[in-house]
Amino acid sequence: MLIVTGTLFVPPTDLARFVAEMGALAAVTRKRSGNLSYDTAVLDAATGRLLVAERWRDEAALAAHLRADETEAFVSRWAPHLQGDVRVYDADNERTLPAG
């Protein structure tokens, strides 16, 4: 499994539009083969800070998502306006969270 996570910053004046467009992309992405979860959350609206959290079955599923028309169009529109640090992690030892 792959985990994609990190933070993004979008100009606060563009935040509402970004969140709406990200919601539309998420609805499509969650139906893609190999997607286990795909979420973003606004952490601080005043600074435009968002959390990105995705899980993918494997590298092929993530690569297909990144090549998809909707993803490429979204990235093309928003990349010039974004800053942040989002990374991909291999998760080879998945387990449930231990009870308190």
Side-chain angles (χ1 to χ4, degrees):
M1 176 176 57
L2 298 177
I3 297 171
V4 178
T5 190
T7 54
L8 290 177
F9 290 87
V10 63
T13 56
D14 294 333
L15 184 60
R17 187 166 60 98
F18 179 84
V19 168
E21 289 187 26
M22 177 58 83
L25 177 63
V28 171
T29 299
R30 289 182 186 122
K31 296 175 186 173
R32 292 191 175 135
S33 176
N35 177 258
L36 304 174
S37 65
Y38 191 87
D39 297 288
T40 57
V42 176
L43 298 176
D44 184 0
T47 63
R49 183 172 180 240
L50 297 106
L51 173 69
V52 174
E54 306 173 21
R55 292 185 308 135
W56 295 90
R57 179 186 59 228
D58 53 30
E59 193 75 38
L62 176 57
H65 161 66
L66 294 173
R67 287 191 311 266
D69 291 341
E70 298 90 353
T71 305
E72 288 184 344
F74 180 85
V75 170
S76 176
R77 271 192 314 277
W78 284 102
H81 309 285
L82 299 177
Q83 293 181 355
D85 185 23
V86 177
R87 297 180 184 235
V88 180
Y89 300 88
D90 296 296
D92 295 328
N93 189 21
E94 181 181 5
R95 58 196 175 279
T96 59
L97 189 63

